[in-house]
């Protein structure tokens, strides 16, 4: 009988120091919980957006990893004069052995913002792809049914000059206001919401540009370049152009978003799109242009205004700086309302150009003012006296 000696093999010894050995309340949780979710359970949207860009007031123990030529690092909170609670607290000191935690979540009030649209990369691609697909189908159907032949001759010129001119507003605000504000905003929640807003405007400009090319092919005599001269020289558009350029020059990112989405869009954008183009088009034989313009109208009214309201509601109700923020917002209203009212009134001659005219300009402006006043009321702000101009 042969016997074999037992081989000496090191045996594992557990000391409870290895990873995963400790048991704590969330040991079996399948989601991270370093932040406070808005509802009882954190959403997928929060998982992919909350503090994707870390904040040295919370984590990021080595401080910002990048900076600017003037010495500022990361996302300086002083890029807007508005404040959220905790903004005035100093950034935690970092030194060997200090640890990396900083303040408890959310560290400051800016992190409390949640985009009610829950927008991030995947939702942006899906939404815009669906919009473009639907618009293409509408235009193709109109081409096949010879719908463009039903347009009044005067309306053809109106679309070439004035509907085409609006693409310059969309392009300018999308690229130079919202994209810029996206980089200046202090949290990923703001970055995502504002960058989606930017993409909406850029896509709308592209929609109008492609539509312009289609009409150049389908309608004999359609001047596809007429919008350039209209934007640069037509007196009816110079008020809108001046205001749009002033918006793109605004340094404070919160002021830029507030002035564009709370003031300019209701008083000028919706006035032009809803109270002129969509009202006049069907009566002049055009059932296609309202679908193109209406896509942008939905972007704003159902999505972009929604996140903007949520963003500023937090600021006007901030537990530390509510009075400060409300005072600043009222000052911005006194600056931008007269500019937008002047731009709107400068557009008045457009209402008389179609063969079959829409409702009176003053009626449309009254509706725009009423809409604007309702938005201010929701935010607890007072309509400035300049609204009566």
């Amino acid at each position: 009988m042969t016997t074999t000696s037992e081989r000496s093999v090191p045996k594992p010894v557990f000391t409870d120091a290895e990873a995963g050995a400790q048991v704590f309340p969330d040991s079996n949780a399948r989601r991270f919980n370093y932040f406070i979710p808005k509802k009882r359970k954190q959403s997928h949207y929060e998982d992919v957006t909350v503090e994707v860009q870390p904040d040295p007031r919370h984590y990021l123990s080595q401080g910002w990893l990048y900076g600017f030529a003037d010495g500022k690092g990361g996302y300086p909170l002083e890029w807007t004069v508005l404040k959220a609670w905790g903004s005035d607290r100093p950034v935690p000191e970092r030194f060997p052995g200090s640890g990396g935690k900083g303040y408890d979540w959310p560290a400051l009030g800016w992190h409390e913002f949640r985009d009610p649209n829950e927008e991030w990369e995947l939702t942006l691609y899906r939404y815009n792809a669906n919009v473009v697909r639907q618009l293409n189908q509408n235009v193709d159907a109109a081409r096949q049914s010879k719908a463009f032949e039903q347009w009044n001759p005067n309306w053809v010129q109106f679309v070439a000059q004035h509907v085409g001119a609006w693409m310059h507003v969309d392009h300018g605000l999308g690229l130079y206001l919202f994209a810029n504000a996206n980089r200046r905003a202090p949290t990923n929640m703001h970055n995502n919401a504002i960058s989606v807003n930017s993409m909406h405007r850029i896509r709308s400009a592209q929609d109008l540009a492609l539509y312009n090319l289609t009409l150049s092919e389908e309608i004999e005599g359609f001047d596809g370049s007429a919008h350039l001269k209209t934007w640069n020289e037509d007196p009816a558009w110079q008020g809108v152009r001046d205001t749009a350029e002033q918006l793109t020059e605004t340094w404070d990112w919160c002021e830029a978003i507030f002035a564009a989405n709370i003031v300019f869009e209701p008083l000028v954008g919706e006035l032009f799109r809803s109270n002129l183009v969509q009202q006049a088009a069907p009566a002049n034989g055009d059932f296609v242009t309202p679908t193109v313009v209406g896509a942008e109208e939905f972007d704003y009214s159902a999505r972009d205004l929604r996140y903007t309201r949520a963003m500023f509601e937090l600021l006007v109700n901030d537990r530390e700086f509510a009075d400060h923020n409300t005072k600043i917002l009222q000052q911005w209203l006194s600056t931008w309302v007269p500019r937008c009212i002047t731009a709107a009134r400068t557009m008045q001659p457009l209402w008389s150009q179609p063969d079959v005219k829409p409702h009176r300009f003053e009626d449309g402006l009254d509706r725009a003012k009423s809409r604007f006043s309702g938005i201010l009321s929701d935010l607890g702000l007072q309509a400035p006296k300049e609204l009566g101009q």
Side-chain angles (χ1 to χ4, degrees):
M1 179 176 178
T2 303
T3 61
T4 58
S5 60
E6 184 177 351
R7 304 178 73 178
S8 177
V9 178
K11 295 180 173 56
V13 177
F14 296 99
T15 65
D16 288 341
E18 59 277 358
Q22 295 295 324
V23 177
F24 50 92
D26 286 339
S27 290
N28 297 320
R30 301 189 64 177
R31 297 188 179 190
F32 296 109
N33 64 343
Y34 58 88
F35 63 87
I36 301 173
K38 185 175 182 179
K39 299 180 180 179
R40 290 184 60 188
K41 293 184 178 180
Q42 62 203 78
S43 65
H44 191 184
Y45 157 73
E46 290 175 318
D47 285 338
V48 298
T49 52
V50 173
E51 217 174 57
V52 172
Q53 169 58 61
D55 189 331
R57 294 170 183 264
H58 188 216
Y59 291 112
L60 205 64
S61 61
Q62 69 272 52
W64 291 113
L65 305 179
Y66 43 82
F68 300 89
D70 61 1
K72 289 186 173 63
Y75 292 75
L77 299 181
E78 62 268 22
W79 277 349
T80 178
V81 296
L82 299 186
K83 297 180 180 181
W85 65 263
S87 297
D88 288 352
R89 291 194 298 183
V91 177
E93 292 187 25
R94 306 300 188 183
F95 53 87
S98 66
K101 186 170 184 296
Y103 299 113
D104 288 335
W105 179 264
L108 43 75
W110 289 109
H111 287 294
E112 292 185 325
F113 172 67
R114 298 288 189 275
D115 177 9
N117 300 316
E118 298 196 344
E119 293 281 20
W120 51 295
E121 290 89 337
L122 180 61
T123 62
L124 168 67
Y125 301 146
R126 283 176 175 171
Y127 174 77
N128 276 343
N130 288 335
V131 172
V132 171
R133 186 180 301 112
Q134 184 64 62
L135 290 179
N136 288 341
Q137 290 173 348
N138 292 343
V139 174
D140 287 343
R143 181 190 289 114
Q144 293 173 12
S145 63
K146 306 297 182 183
F148 300 118
E149 297 178 2
Q150 309 302 315
W151 288 17
N152 291 344
N154 220 17
W155 183 251
V156 173
Q157 183 178 358
F158 182 91
V159 172
Q161 293 179 335
H162 304 299
V163 175
W166 191 258
M167 78 174 76
H168 299 282
V169 178
D170 286 332
H171 177 78
L173 297 186
L175 192 58
Y176 299 108
L177 186 153
F178 291 104
N180 181 45
N182 150 60
R183 176 56 186 87
R184 292 172 173 269
T187 79
N188 266 86
M189 296 303 197
H190 294 84
N191 298 155
N192 276 38
I194 297 170
S195 63
V196 167
N197 196 162
S198 173
M199 292 301 101
H200 286 165
R201 300 307 292 253
I202 293 173
R203 192 217 71 232
S204 296
Q206 176 181 280
D207 293 341
L208 290 173
L210 294 175
Y211 187 50
N212 186 73
L213 291 174
T214 298
L215 296 179
S216 299
E217 296 172 352
E218 295 296 321
I219 301 177
E220 184 177 355
F222 186 90
D223 186 355
S225 64
H227 62 90
L228 292 170
K229 186 175 181 180
T230 299
W231 178 249
N232 289 323
E233 301 178 14
D234 193 327
W237 279 95
Q238 298 317 298
V240 176
R241 181 182 173 186
D242 289 345
T243 304
E245 290 175 352
Q246 289 169 342
L247 285 168
T248 61
E249 294 170 354
T250 303
W251 183 88
D252 186 303
W253 70 270
C254 264
E255 181 179 4
I257 298 296
F258 182 82
N261 281 350
I262 300 296
V263 186
F264 179 81
E265 274 300 297
L267 293 178
V268 180
E270 289 187 330
L271 175 68
F272 175 74
R273 294 189 299 264
S274 286
N275 292 292
L276 175 55
V277 177
Q278 296 198 79
Q279 292 286 336
N284 286 277
D286 178 9
F287 295 90
V288 187
T289 304
T291 67
V292 179
V293 173
E296 179 179 358
E297 202 72 319
F298 183 83
D299 289 344
Y300 169 69
S301 62
R303 302 176 84 84
D304 298 332
L305 178 60
R306 191 179 180 209
Y307 90 78
T308 306
R309 275 175 165 156
M311 188 176 92
F312 286 102
E313 280 173 357
L314 279 175
L315 294 169
V316 297
N317 294 303
D318 187 84
R319 67 192 193 205
E320 187 176 351
F321 296 108
D323 292 341
H324 166 83
N325 292 336
T326 299
K327 180 180 179 181
I328 295 296
L329 293 177
Q330 290 291 164
Q331 292 173 358
W332 289 347
L333 287 173
S334 296
T335 299
W336 289 103
V337 167
R339 292 177 181 178
C340 291
I341 291 294
T342 298
R345 288 202 172 278
T346 305
M347 297 175 72
Q348 184 169 357
L350 303 184
W351 267 250
S352 62
Q353 293 194 16
D355 291 329
V356 182
K357 297 172 177 51
H359 298 298
R360 294 171 59 248
F361 168 80
E362 291 294 341
D363 294 337
L365 184 58
D366 286 344
R367 283 194 292 270
K369 288 181 177 180
S370 177
R371 159 84 154 154
F372 171 66
S373 296
I375 295 171
L376 294 187
S377 178
D378 291 342
L379 293 174
L381 300 174
Q382 300 296 317
K385 64 180 186 303
E386 291 84 358
L387 188 62
Q389 294 179 1

